[in-house]
Amino acid sequence: MKKYLALKASAGSGKTFALTVRYITLLLKGATPKEILTLTFTNKAANEMSERIYKTLLSLGEDEAYLNAIALESELSKEQILSKKSYLVNLFSNAALSIFTIDKFVNKILREFSGYAGINDDFEIKEDDVEKLSSKFLESLSLEEFDKLIDFSLFENKKYNSIFEVFKNMFEKAETIDVVNIDLSLIEIQKKEALQEALKIKEFILNCPNASNSAIKAVDYENFEELISKKWLEKDRAEEYSYFKKCSNELLEEFFSKTKEEVGNYYKLRSAFSLSRLFELYNLFKEYKRRYNSSKNYLHFDDISNICYELLSTKIDKEFLYFRLDSNFSHILIDEFQDTSLLQYKILKPLIEEILSSSEFKTFFYVGDTKQSIYRFRGGKRELFDYVLKTNPMVNVEVLNTNYRSCEQVVNYVNQAFNKLNSYEYHDQISVHKDGYVEVFEDEALLSEEKYENIAKKISELMQKGVNSNDIAILTYTNDDVLNLYSYLKKMFPSLKISTEMTSKLINQENVKAIINAIKYLYFQEGIYKENLNAIIGKAPESSFELNIDLKYRSVQESVLKIAQFLNVTDDNVMKFVELCSSYKNIVDFVYEIDELDASIENSEQVGLQILTIFKSKGLEFHTVLLLDRIKQKVANRDYLLFEYDNVNLKNIYYKIGGLDNYSIEYKEALKKEKALEFEDELNILYVAMTRAKKNMIIFKKKEKSVFDLLDLKIAALGEVIKSDNKTKNYEKSEKVIYKALDLGKQEKPIKVEEDNDNAYTLHAKYFGIATHFCLEMMNNFDEKSLHLAINLVKNRYSNYLDESDIANIKARVFQLIAHEEFLALTSNANYSKEQSLIYKGELKIIDLLVEKEGKYFIFDYKTTRDELQEHIEQVSHYEKAIKNILVNDEVYSFIIYLNEKGVKLKKV
DNA sequence: CAGTATGACATTTTT
DNA sequence: TGTCATACTG
């Protein structure tokens, strides 16, 4: 095993495999889980990582590939490894793990050293309330400071809101410059001087008998601003401007070059001035934000990394940090390294350096793929990957170029598309799976009204050819495309299940929006809200809204629910909304604060055809991928500032001004560099998109202005469509929220949803149920030891949704089950399978637990609700019938297990 | 027909 | 605020 290793892992080349193998090897070499710091980017990835390691340990020996790789890495024999299996399982499942997201880790450091930063260690983590923060900041300014802000705003012609937005951007970057004071009057003088020279050009042209109308129009400036809007100023010489050509002589060229010189001086002065002023204001803001945060005792994620970095670079010694951290990390594993931001790396650096310089057994490993770096816009710095290698020669590098994900046709197609680009570092991948299907389809419909016509056609064609709709994913560039495509396909195939993985705000979801507008209408009595409502729910304009409801005498929750019912718009999102409304004390708070609610929408249906953005698809794979061209044009980068880096070191910060590139070579170079990076981003997005498909990939390309022109993709159809494998799991079990009216009691009594978790079908109850099922699914045997292991997995996976007491609750319930005599009698010495899926009469069913004992079959279905509903019995007897039919066996018995806190009830059906 | 002016147009997102 | 389509100019 290489102690220090950087792994370049192309898409589908077994990155998680490598991480898992390394982790287990470290355990075999005597490391404890606590000292192996494993960093990922999302909670999802962190959960998946620990689950993957656990499952691999549990099934150690079954998968040859894993065993071989671990043997190779650890230099132990397979027998030696297998003899330690139960020890490893125990070790891993009973220890505190150090598998975190980077943000969680940074947060952890800050809390441990909060005293040195002068903050409380019990701070909350929250989003900033931008409106409040920006207005409070204004109030905090002295008259003089306030004037500076106003001057800047007027001078730059920028609104306060947009300036404030820039502050946030600067905050993220955490870079500073020395502020120099430049007097505004200097700029005014420079403007006058430039205009004076330019007026000589104007006079010259107007006096030139050959001047065309266009030439005369080109000199119609009265002031400096009009002057610099002229295109001809970009030329090097006057004669290069065709409308001036006929009048060009040496005198004109002299005026021209003099004007350009003066304008150039203006630009230089101006960019330095604006940059300084902006940073001056920003520093004020930064100071204020610190005060504001500490008074409210909360921090934003950006604050956390900012303060943490400041702490490390000024107040605490690196050695001190390392030895004071509550756990000593001897091993570091970093996933998706290409997405690490500069600031995050700077924070991790002392820990990495400590490992690299230690004489003990300490290791450092990072894995990533710069081709998949698509998050530069939020700080990801792909240059870091090679920079760390270059600056630490003891770190080895290995490249994974075998693709275990996609079929031959797909791999080859991607190879030929990317390896011909000369400005792109690409190494051909080797495929291991044969066949596959690639089609590039020039879709003229994409530019017309019926945009998605051909996509719908293709979907039905694929389904006819035997591709399961659950195996299809459609990838798009924007969330907007996801939504549009979703509603189109829903219209075309009403019974098709479609899921959209999106993160949009809950308050923007149609049904929720309808409710908000209804309430605002009832409260403010302003027609605009009623018309919004009519538009959303598809009523004719001016339709009336008649609901007799007294907002004042009901709780907010109650009103929201009543209105939802009245409008008939109750769904998962509305349910979540109802829950969140409990935080509003009264209707006044609600109408004024609801627009700031930051919660995200629920992913409605988790089964079916998937539509998602390419960004979201990163790290995922699909049987069949339909890849959509960029529908709308890309927007221009509207940042005020241009950060120029030399690899990872800040070289310069520029205040962006249109036209400055004509006068400053350095600025021009910086712009060019930025453009090259943007171009690389674009290629990376394409790379990510084209490496998601396992079997079939179909590209819908616009006839003109297609992003695929970057790769010069031609119309093609290669190979044969591969059918869905019958064994593919085409149903992801999740308990759908069954909507049931909450018992609201009488009007005078405000409702409390959280009072009775057992009966209300809240989201909390939903997660509780799923987690309980997950716990039972993860148990190898129905004994205490298995429960103990499984409950740890539940903790890792559901800690975001459930708290400690919930976990304890689940444990207690399951504990009672494994102590239940009848249940134990039925399951002991029997064969059983969990989450058994079966297809019966065209419908897919999942049985929680199926037990086979002495030729008899027992079906078990877990419920975490207290209610015993007829519906449960019907569901289970349906399973019973199906099993009897399929197995041709009459000895099938079914049970519903009600897992309650007070006791377990086994109900025979 | 090449060069120029003008107006319309629009992203990605975790913690 | 950069890009693109389009219309205009000489």
Side-chain angles (χ1 to χ4, degrees):
Chain A
M1 169 175 173
K2 300 238 168 71
K3 268 175 88 177
Y4 317 122
L5 182 65
L7 195 59
K8 293 189 171 184
S10 292
S13 63
K15 188 187 68 177
T16 320
F17 179 88
L19 266 165
T20 309
V21 167
R22 188 159 179 111
Y23 194 102
I24 293 174
T25 304
L26 287 170
L27 290 182
L28 280 166
K29 294 208 163 226
T32 63
K34 194 168 184 188
E35 59 182 352
I36 308 176
L37 178 62
T38 308
L39 298 175
T40 61
F41 268 84
T42 62
N43 282 318
K44 194 174 155 211
N47 289 336
E48 275 168 7
M49 197 66 233
S50 54
E51 204 178 299
R52 178 81 172 257
I53 294 167
Y54 184 67
K55 283 193 171 159
T56 308
L57 286 174
L58 276 183
S59 60
L60 205 60
E62 286 165 34
D63 190 331
E64 275 295 304
Y66 268 107
L67 195 56
N68 284 334
I70 295 169
L72 193 71
E73 282 287 291
S74 65
E75 294 170 47
L76 294 172
S77 73
K78 293 183 189 176
E79 291 71 32
Q80 282 172 308
I81 296 168
L82 288 175
S83 71
K84 288 188 172 171
K85 179 173 164 178
S86 65
Y87 160 76
L88 292 175
V89 171
N90 244 309
L91 177 68
F92 184 75
S93 55
N94 287 311
L97 304 180
S98 298
I99 304 178
F100 310 117
T101 64
I102 290 201
D103 284 291
K104 228 176 223 161
F105 180 62
V106 173
N107 175 24
K108 203 170 125 76
I109 296 181
L110 186 59
R111 281 191 206 265
E112 280 184 42
F113 290 90
S114 55
Y116 298 89
I119 52 172
N120 292 330
D121 67 350
D122 63 345
F123 60 83
E124 255 189 281
I125 304 174
K126 273 204 307 196
E127 287 290 313
D128 290 318
D129 179 343
V130 176
E131 298 247 321
K132 207 174 253 167
L133 184 60
S134 74
S135 73
K136 289 271 180 194
F137 170 58
L138 279 188
E139 281 172 27
S140 80
L141 295 175
S142 71
L143 212 58
E144 193 192 341
E145 291 162 344
F146 187 72
D147 278 345
K148 274 191 179 157
L149 179 65
I150 299 296
D151 284 347
F152 183 81
S153 169
L154 283 173
F155 184 71
E156 302 293 337
N157 196 18
K158 283 179 170 149
K159 291 180 186 158
Y160 174 55
N161 274 350
S162 99
I163 297 173
F164 196 82
E165 188 67 18
V166 176
F167 288 163
K168 222 184 121 192
N169 203 335
M170 296 162 86
F171 212 77
E172 248 176 62
K173 287 273 196 320
E175 305 279 10
T176 46
I177 58 152
D178 293 327
V179 174
V180 282
N181 206 10
I182 296 169
D183 202 333
L184 186 59
S185 62
L186 275 178
I187 293 181
E188 293 306 323
I189 293 169
Q190 191 55 44
K191 275 189 190 175
K192 264 191 207 124
E193 229 140 87
L195 185 63
Q196 220 169 30
E197 287 303 321
L199 287 174
K200 290 183 193 161
I201 299 178
K202 181 176 180 174
E203 198 190 338
F204 181 91
I205 295 292
L206 291 180
N207 287 329
C208 169
N210 296 330
S212 64
N213 285 337
S214 296
I216 291 165
K217 213 173 157 227
V219 293
D220 66 347
Y221 45 84
E222 301 281 321
N223 56 41
F224 183 78
E225 278 64 37
E226 281 167 3
L227 167 69
I228 56 168
S229 73
K230 295 298 169 194
K231 273 276 176 203
W232 48 262
L233 261 178
E234 289 171 17
K235 304 286 180 200
D236 284 328
R237 292 173 58 80
E239 61 179 9
E240 287 170 20
Y241 183 70
S242 62
Y243 296 163
F244 285 172
K245 217 169 192 168
K246 280 197 282 183
C247 300
S248 169
N249 67 16
E250 263 176 48
L251 187 61
L252 177 65
E253 293 301 345
E254 198 190 312
F255 293 153
F256 184 83
S257 70
K258 201 85 179 82
T259 304
K260 281 219 46 159
E261 197 187 318
E262 295 300 341
V263 173
N265 288 339
Y266 158 79
Y267 269 112
K268 279 168 204 153
L269 210 57
R270 157 78 201 282
S271 62
F273 170 81
S274 299
L275 189 67
S276 271
R277 278 293 158 92
L278 184 62
F279 266 94
E280 204 180 342
L281 294 167
Y282 168 67
N283 288 337
L284 289 173
F285 168 73
K286 213 164 108 182
E287 264 170 46
Y288 177 73
K289 187 160 168 23
R290 282 282 154 87
R291 295 203 300 274
Y292 183 81
N293 281 139
S294 84
S295 76
K296 304 265 185 223
N297 198 27
Y298 88 94
L299 292 174
H300 186 261
F301 284 102
D302 291 337
D303 299 317
I304 295 176
S305 21
N306 259 302
I307 299 175
C308 194
Y309 174 60
E310 234 168 71
L311 214 57
L312 291 183
S313 53
T314 59
K315 298 207 179 101
I316 31 180
D317 202 53
K318 284 169 187 172
E319 269 94 64
F320 183 67
L321 160 84
Y322 189 76
F323 291 110
R324 271 293 305 274
L325 269 181
D326 79 337
S327 45
N328 283 349
F329 301 109
S330 303
H331 309 278
I332 296 182
L333 310 175
I334 308 177
D335 192 11
E336 303 276 14
F337 195 72
Q338 77 283 356
D339 288 331
T340 310
S341 78
L342 210 49
L343 194 57
Q344 286 168 336
Y345 176 66
K346 285 177 180 168
I347 291 170
L348 292 174
K349 212 175 157 201
L351 295 179
I352 295 171
E353 278 171 354
E354 151 66 31
I355 283 177
L356 292 179
S357 64
S358 170
S359 55
E360 292 163 49
F361 177 62
K362 295 189 175 181
T363 68
F364 172 53
F365 173 82
Y366 64 93
V367 55
D369 181 10
T370 49
K371 300 192 293 305
Q372 291 184 71
S373 148
I374 56 178
Y375 285 129
R376 202 172 60 91
F377 65 89
R378 60 167 210 232
K381 201 139 194 71
R382 51 179 163 264
E383 294 91 331
L384 268 174
F385 200 103
D386 288 331
Y387 176 80
V388 173
L389 276 176
K390 210 177 78 189
T391 49
N392 300 288
M394 64 283 245
V395 179
N396 292 292
V397 61
E398 275 176 18
V399 183
L400 296 181
N401 269 335
T402 307
N403 189 315
Y404 299 99
R405 175 185 294 155
S406 308
C407 285
E408 193 178 7
Q409 293 285 4
V410 178
V411 173
N412 289 349
Y413 194 78
V414 174
N415 282 342
Q416 64 85 24
F418 285 92
N419 67 15
K420 65 188 173 204
L421 300 167
N422 33 26
S423 59
Y424 196 68
E425 197 196 318
Y426 187 88
H427 302 285
D428 275 0
Q429 287 193 266
I430 301 143
S431 60
V432 291
H433 300 296
K434 293 267 159 261
D435 306 324
Y437 180 70
V438 174
E439 180 182 344
V440 180
F441 178 76
E442 196 167 83
D443 189 352
E444 292 182 35
L446 280 179
L447 298 164
S448 69
E449 269 299 290
E450 284 286 291
K451 275 197 193 76
Y452 308 123
E453 202 183 353
N454 289 321
I455 294 162
K457 273 186 201 154
K458 185 56 79 181
I459 290 169
S460 47
E461 186 191 317
L462 285 168
M463 277 157 69
Q464 268 166 26
K465 284 189 178 164
V467 179
N468 190 323
S469 68
N470 296 340
D471 283 340
I472 301 176
I474 307 178
L475 308 187
T476 68
Y477 269 82
T478 69
N479 279 321
D480 227 34
D481 297 337
V482 174
L483 275 180
N484 292 338
L485 193 54
Y486 175 79
S487 39
Y488 182 80
L489 292 178
K490 261 286 171 214
K491 207 168 68 197
M492 298 301 286
F493 310 108
S495 63
L496 184 70
K497 288 214 165 191
I498 302 175
S499 82
T500 57
E501 174 104 11
M502 293 205 6
T503 38
S504 12
K505 282 189 170 182
L506 187 64
I507 51 170
N508 291 331
Q509 196 261 346
E510 294 288 277
N511 289 344
V512 173
K513 221 154 82 183
I515 295 169
I516 294 174
N517 275 291
I519 292 191
K520 284 193 178 171
Y521 174 62
L522 290 173
Y523 184 84
F524 294 110
Q525 288 293 323
E526 279 173 28
I528 176 86
Y529 297 116
K530 194 188 70 185
E531 292 315 315
N532 283 343
L533 175 65
N534 285 335
I536 296 166
I537 60 176
K539 276 197 178 173
E542 318 245 316
S543 301
S544 63
F545 176 66
E546 277 162 33
L547 175 66
N548 216 352
I549 179 171
D550 198 336
L551 296 174
K552 266 183 263 170
Y553 297 108
R554 287 166 180 270
S555 74
V556 175
Q557 251 179 341
E558 218 179 330
S559 307
V560 168
L561 199 54
K562 261 266 165 329
I563 289 168
Q565 284 165 345
F566 179 77
L567 295 172
N568 199 14
V569 293
T570 327
D571 63 13
D572 277 14
N573 288 306
V574 171
M575 284 308 293
K576 182 172 185 179
F577 187 60
V578 171
E579 276 188 60
L580 290 167
C581 283
S582 65
S583 60
Y584 297 98
K585 270 186 247 116
N586 52 51
I587 203 70
V588 185
D589 284 0
F590 177 90
V591 293
Y592 286 105
E593 287 171 20
I594 193 63
D595 294 334
E596 284 154 32
L597 185 69
D598 215 42
S600 303
I601 60 167
E602 279 294 291
N603 299 323
S604 50
E605 296 161 74
Q606 302 205 330
V607 203
L609 185 145
Q610 283 178 275
I611 312 175
L612 65 171
T613 62
I614 297 169
F615 297 85
K616 277 259 164 174
S617 79
K618 189 162 170 248
L620 305 176
E621 55 181 34
F622 309 94
H623 181 277
T624 296
V625 167
L626 307 190
L627 176 55
L628 229 64
D629 212 324
R630 195 190 273 286
I631 307 285
K632 291 170 190 157
Q633 77 177 53
K634 215 177 138 191
V635 289
N637 177 2
R638 258 175 288 193
D639 293 341
Y640 285 19
L641 298 176
L642 175 62
F643 291 82
E644 186 191 18
Y645 287 90
D646 224 2
N647 261 320
V648 302
N649 302 310
L650 182 72
K651 197 173 165 195
N652 231 326
I653 303 176
Y654 298 94
Y655 188 87
K656 284 214 236 168
I657 310 171
L660 176 59
D661 50 331
N662 296 314
Y663 301 95
S664 159
I665 301 161
E666 298 84 27
Y667 179 71
K668 200 174 178 173
E669 277 301 304
L671 267 184
K672 214 172 116 189
K673 244 191 237 177
E674 175 66 22
K675 278 215 174 128
L677 286 170
E678 274 170 20
F679 181 68
E680 212 178 315
D681 284 345
E682 201 67 18
L683 289 174
N684 286 349
I685 296 170
L686 281 168
Y687 178 76
V688 168
M690 290 171 70
T691 49
R692 298 305 104 195
K694 290 200 274 188
K695 312 285 180 189
N696 312 311
M697 174 168 71
I698 296 151
I699 293 174
F700 293 81
K701 177 180 174 296
K702 288 195 288 188
K703 195 165 185 189
E704 286 155 347
K705 290 193 297 176
S706 164
V707 272
F708 298 109
D709 290 343
L710 293 174
L711 302 173
D712 200 25
L713 291 198
K714 299 278 188 287
I715 304 167
L718 308 159
E720 299 273 330
V721 171
I722 298 186
K723 288 182 188 175
S724 286
D725 180 351
N726 281 336
K727 276 178 253 156
T728 32
K729 196 178 171 197
N730 54 0
Y731 184 87
E732 192 64 45
K733 193 171 185 200
S734 75
E735 287 197 342
K736 186 113 180 66
V737 172
I738 303 155
Y739 175 67
K740 204 178 136 206
L742 298 168
D743 181 9
L744 299 174
K746 298 275 182 283
Q747 280 205 8
E748 59 270 19
K749 184 183 141 215
I751 53 158
K752 279 196 190 105
V753 175
E754 61 276 78
E755 236 174 35
D756 194 350
N757 274 332
D758 249 11
N759 282 322
Y761 280 85
T762 60
L763 279 170
H764 177 263
K766 172 177 163 179
Y767 283 123
F768 189 87
I770 294 173
T772 309
H773 276 83
F774 178 73
C775 176
L776 287 157
E777 188 191 345
M778 286 297 123
M779 286 170 69
N780 266 3
N781 296 300
F782 293 108
D783 57 26
E784 238 182 289
K785 202 175 144 202
S786 280
L787 171 60
H788 189 70
L789 301 181
I791 210 80
N792 269 317
L793 289 175
V794 172
K795 253 186 237 171
N796 272 326
R797 184 156 170 161
Y798 294 100
S799 58
N800 290 323
Y801 311 106
L802 302 172
D803 57 33
E804 284 289 321
S805 66
D806 294 318
I807 308 272
N809 193 337
I810 291 173
K811 196 173 173 182
R813 290 181 191 217
V814 178
F815 186 75
Q816 290 181 38
L817 177 68
I818 61 178
H820 195 277
E821 280 180 23
E822 194 185 349
F823 177 73
L824 286 180
L826 287 167
T827 52
S828 62
N829 298 320
N831 294 319
Y832 45 79
S833 60
K834 291 166 184 160
E835 304 281 306
Q836 174 68 50
S837 56
L838 60 107
I839 295 169
Y840 177 60
K841 289 191 178 164
E843 275 183 79
L844 201 119
K845 305 284 172 200
I846 305 274
I847 294 175
D848 286 340
L849 176 65
L850 179 67
V851 174
E852 189 261 303
K853 192 174 179 176
E854 293 153 9
K856 296 176 185 170
Y857 288 87
F858 304 96
I859 295 168
F860 295 93
D861 203 61
Y862 308 123
K863 298 286 174 207
T864 50
T865 59
R866 208 177 284 155
D867 298 329
E868 296 176 15
L869 301 176
Q870 183 59 31
E871 184 188 306
H872 297 158
I873 297 171
E874 278 163 18
Q875 180 196 1
V876 176
S877 34
H878 190 82
Y879 296 164
E880 191 179 307
K881 244 183 263 167
I883 293 285
K884 278 183 180 163
N885 247 303
I886 293 168
L887 298 172
V888 203
N889 186 336
D890 268 347
E891 299 238 63
V892 179
Y893 308 94
S894 47
F895 301 86
I896 302 172
I897 301 174
Y898 288 101
L899 294 157
N900 293 325
E901 249 170 305
K902 297 190 184 93
V904 168
K905 190 174 168 190
L906 206 63
K907 188 183 169 102
K908 190 161 188 299
V909 177

